[in-house]
Structures are given as structure tokens and as C-alpha cells.
Amino acid sequence: MGALTRERDVREAYAAHSGELYGFAVRSLGDAGLAEEAVQETFLRAWRAGDRFDPEIGSLRTWLFAILRNVVIDLGRARAARPRVAEGGVEPSVEPLEQALLAWQVEEAMRRIGEDHRKVLLETHFRARPYSEVAEELGVPEGTIKSRVYYGLRALRVALEEMGYED
Amino acid sequence: MRTDDHRDWKLSLGAYALGDLPPDERAAVAAHLEGCEECRAELRSLEGVAALLPLADPARIEQPTARPPADLGARIEAQIAAESAREGRARKRRRLRLGFGGAIAAAAVAAALAIAILPGSSGESSPAQKVDFASLPKGVSIDATLEPHAFGTEIEMYVSGVRSGTLCRVFLRDAKGRTYSAGSFRYRWGEDSHAVLSSALDLSQAKVIGVHAGDRTFMAPVDQATALVGGAGIDAT
Ligand SMILES: [Zn+2]
């Protein structure tokens, strides 16, 4: 796909990327309605600026996420500016948003890897349970838990790379 | 070092990267890493991912992936189609201005005079009319530009926000309520969103323009006073 100048291009872009964009918008805005608004605004801005998208420079996905990132900042500001008793009332800064994007990518990557690998990483790493206990619960040797941790991390890396992650 | 051993060491690297190995095993893996470049490279790649894990929230991982509402795509399509149509009209107006320049203005003045002097005269001398459909359902946008011709009226119509594939049948009505078909088109999202049609009714006789879109009908009055020529409104009264 070249520049994003035809309505059909936008439709294809929506089919390919709206799920991820929406998932991240929900996570960072914490509200399904605002997330919808953010995704809609993202595709409108993408279409208006479509002739400036250059696939030689970066992927469409990266470009759309960069637009969404700005939209989320704008929406966060608008929300913060609304006169109501603020929850913290802090304007979202760039740093936590980049971190939110990365956190969402890791969570999404975890959802994409195989069930066996996800389960073992969740129990041993996130819930800090001993390998022996998880092995017993799953009815497999402890060595299997260890190798699932290894293959799970490798799968996670592949899933993250598919989402544009690089070290 | 046998290949099998090496594979066993490799399988421990995930737990090593996450800091999950008991001290004795950890020391053994560290000793192997000293002498194995391949395992060191593998470890570096795993450590990058392991460092990201603390960012994730396990409760969120176990939630199903959030999906956008099914109609969000269609709403975005409608909005873009509407913008696209507005841009198309702006281009057309620019083209008219560029193409005909002063001649259009002179003709418009002549036409305006003709209407002022001879109301209800032949459509051929009337200027083009821009019609706005007011009070449409949310998300739907329709407007039309009507141009007088010897054969009757040419209608350039922009529709957006209806379901892609919808059959749109356009008509004009005169003061006596008689309907004159202007033909039909199918609204297709993603294609050029305007259609050019024609009706036998003289523009000067047209009181109403309407479109049956699917099972709905939208109508708008043809206001003979709001002429649009080359982007400028001409007051005919
Ligand atoms: Zn090795």
C-alpha cells in the first residue's frame, strides 16, 4: 500500500489495525466510549494526512499508532480540562503513555502466545509460584516447566517483534 | 561439550533470564555461559523480553482482547466519505472558477437579471442551484447541485452515510406535485461518492428534489433564490 489517499486504503487499514488500536486506546483511556472516539479520530487524521504516509520510512501500523498516541494525549487533555472533581487531575505526560503502549504490547503478546506457555509464565513469573508447585498442579515434570518458560519467552519475543518491537 | 548438553543448558536460559533458578543451578548455567557464545547471544535476546514483563498486568492478560464495536468501521467510512464529498465539491467549484472566470460572472448577472425580469422563465437561463438537505438522520449527508440545460436539469448528487450498496432513486417535483424521475445510482462506499443524473423537468419549474434511498425518502425544497455560480451566491431578487 502506498500513500493512504483513497477511501479504500483507509478501509483496508481499518480492517488490519483497528483491533490493536482500539485495544490500546481502551487500556490507556480506561473508557470504551473514549476509545471509540480515539480510533475514529485516528483514522480521520490518517486519511487527511494520507499523502504524507511513506511506507519507505515506516510501517502503516507504526504510523497509525503514532497518530493514536497524539489523539490519546489530546483526549486526555480535554478530559482533564473538563470541570469536575479531578482524580489526580494530572495532565497525561508523554512518558507514561509510551510506557502504556509498551505495557499493552506485552499484555497483547502474552495473549497471543500458546496457552501452555502463557499459563506457565503467569504462574511462575507473575504469581511467583515455585516451579515444583506449578509442575505438580499441571501434572508434568519440573523440567517441562523450565522449558516452557524458555519457549514462552521466545514466543513472546516473536509476538512483540510482529508488533514492531525491537531492542 | 556434547550437543545434547548444550540443548539442556539452552532450556534453562529462560528461567535464568527471569532470575528464577536456585543458586546452584544458576552458578552452573553461568559457568556454561562463560564458554558458550551461542548461549550468551540467546540469553541477551531473552533478557530483552524478560525486562519488559514487569510492565504487564497479569489481570489484564487474562481479560479477553477488547474489540471495537461492529459499526465503528462503517461510521468512520461515512465520515470520510462525507469529507471526501465536500472536498470534491470544493475542487469542482475551483475548477469552475478557473475555467470560466469572468464569463461565468457575466452570465450569472445576466441570468439573475433574467429571473428578476421574467420570473418563471425558461430553465436554460437560470443559474445553478445548490440544495441542502436539512434534518437528515445522524451520519447521513446528502446534497445536490442542480444545473439548467436545454433538455431539463442536470443533478450532481452527493450521498454519504447510508449503507454501501443502497439503491438511490432521484426525482424532481414541480409546483403541481408531479414527479419527474432523474434516474438512479447505487451508493458505494470507497468509490467516487457522487453521481450525475438528469431529469426532463426544467430547473425553473422544480420545487422539490428528493431521493429514495433504500426504504427511506429524503426531500428538500429547491430554493430558486439561492443560486450558486462559480462558488458565489447570487441574489436573484
Ligand atoms: Zn551453550
Side-chain angles (χ1 to χ4, degrees):
Chain A
M1 192 189 292
L4 200 77
T5 48
R6 297 168 310 163
E7 292 174 22
R8 191 166 41 226
D9 297 336
V10 179
R11 192 197 306 208
E12 282 168 9
Y14 183 87
H17 303 293
S18 59
E20 280 186 356
L21 294 164
Y22 181 77
F24 169 64
V26 169
R27 193 195 194 278
S28 53
L29 291 163
D31 179 286
L34 277 178
E36 258 179 58
E37 214 178 299
V39 171
Q40 185 158 5
E41 181 64 19
T42 297
F43 280 98
L44 283 173
R45 288 190 193 178
W47 182 72
R48 287 179 199 139
D51 52 353
R52 273 178 276 152
F53 168 63
D54 184 353
E56 302 281 303
I57 292 172
S59 76
L60 177 61
R61 187 179 175 284
T62 304
W63 191 62
L64 290 170
F65 265 103
I67 296 173
L68 175 62
R69 187 182 152 283
N70 291 333
V71 170
V72 164
I73 291 172
D74 292 350
L75 281 174
R77 277 201 193 116
R79 185 166 50 168
R82 263 172 231 158
R84 68 168 172 184
V85 186
E87 326 131 30
V90 186
E91 187 173 307
S93 69
V94 174
E95 190 62 36
L97 192 73
E98 296 298 1
Q99 195 170 320
L101 179 54
L102 203 48
W104 174 80
Q105 285 177 330
V106 177
E107 288 158 8
E108 180 63 17
M110 280 289 285
R111 282 190 286 263
R112 289 184 190 183
I113 65 176
E115 171 67 36
D116 284 350
H117 295 145
R118 178 170 55 247
K119 169 89 179 158
V120 163
L121 283 174
L122 271 172
E123 296 304 327
T124 64
H125 186 71
F126 289 97
R127 305 210 164 97
R129 294 175 62 194
Y131 284 26
S132 57
E133 191 183 309
V134 179
E136 197 176 339
E137 183 183 301
L138 296 177
V140 296
E142 205 177 316
T144 304
I145 301 298
K146 211 192 281 179
S147 67
R148 279 183 192 173
V149 167
Y150 168 71
Y151 287 114
L153 279 186
R154 284 185 53 142
L156 203 57
R157 190 191 166 85
V158 171
L160 280 166
E161 280 169 354
E162 277 169 8
M163 286 187 261
Y165 165 79
E166 42 195 59
D167 343 72
Chain B
M1 180 190 64
R2 299 200 318 274
T3 326
D4 282 358
D5 293 340
H6 178 68
R7 185 175 170 275
D8 287 347
W9 289 117
K10 231 177 180 177
L11 290 180
S12 295
L13 291 178
Y16 184 91
L18 291 169
D20 288 345
L21 289 179
D24 53 335
E25 270 189 66
R26 184 168 182 83
V29 174
H32 173 77
L33 284 166
E34 284 283 327
C36 182
E37 169 54 35
E38 198 185 327
C39 279
R40 282 204 299 275
E42 181 72 1
L43 179 65
R44 276 195 296 277
S45 142
L46 295 176
E47 277 173 339
V49 185
L52 295 176
L53 276 185
L55 291 173
D57 173 351
R60 288 182 196 269
I61 293 168
E62 289 184 308
Q63 279 166 12
T65 303
R67 298 265 169 237
D71 67 337
L72 181 57
R75 279 187 272 139
I76 293 172
E77 289 177 6
Q79 207 171 340
I80 285 175
E83 258 189 42
S84 185
R86 277 198 295 277
E87 279 206 347
R89 279 196 298 283
R91 263 199 304 277
K92 177 158 180 159
R93 271 182 229 127
R94 281 196 295 275
R95 203 165 60 220
L96 270 174
R97 268 203 297 274
L98 288 171
F100 298 97
I104 281 276
V109 170
L113 285 174
I115 283 187
I117 295 163
L118 297 165
S121 65
S122 150
E124 236 176 309
S125 55
S126 301
Q129 319 277 320
K130 185 178 183 301
V131 177
D132 281 315
F133 284 71
S135 64
L136 292 166
K138 198 164 180 277
V140 176
S141 158
I142 303 175
D143 43 300
T145 302
L146 283 63
E147 279 179 33
H149 281 275
F151 62 76
T153 304
E154 182 183 299
I155 301 166
E156 191 175 9
M157 190 142 214
Y158 298 84
V159 173
S160 69
V162 299
R163 191 188 302 273
S164 186
T166 297
L167 176 65
C168 299
R169 289 176 294 133
V170 181
F171 59 88
L172 294 177
R173 239 169 232 170
D174 67 9
K176 292 182 176 147
R178 285 177 299 212
T179 298
Y180 295 76
S181 168
S184 63
F185 64 95
R186 247 179 230 290
Y187 170 73
R188 294 251 184 241
W189 191 87
E191 307 301 322
D192 194 358
S193 56
H194 83 279
V196 180
L197 308 116
S198 54
S199 168
L201 184 65
D202 266 354
L203 177 53
S204 63
Q205 306 300 312
K207 293 293 171 214
V208 169
I209 177 170
V211 54
H212 303 295
D215 54 2
R216 316 178 71 153
T217 300
F218 306 110
M219 289 191 284
V222 178
D223 180 356
Q224 300 286 350
T226 55
L228 174 90
V229 175
I234 302 281
D235 188 357
T237 52

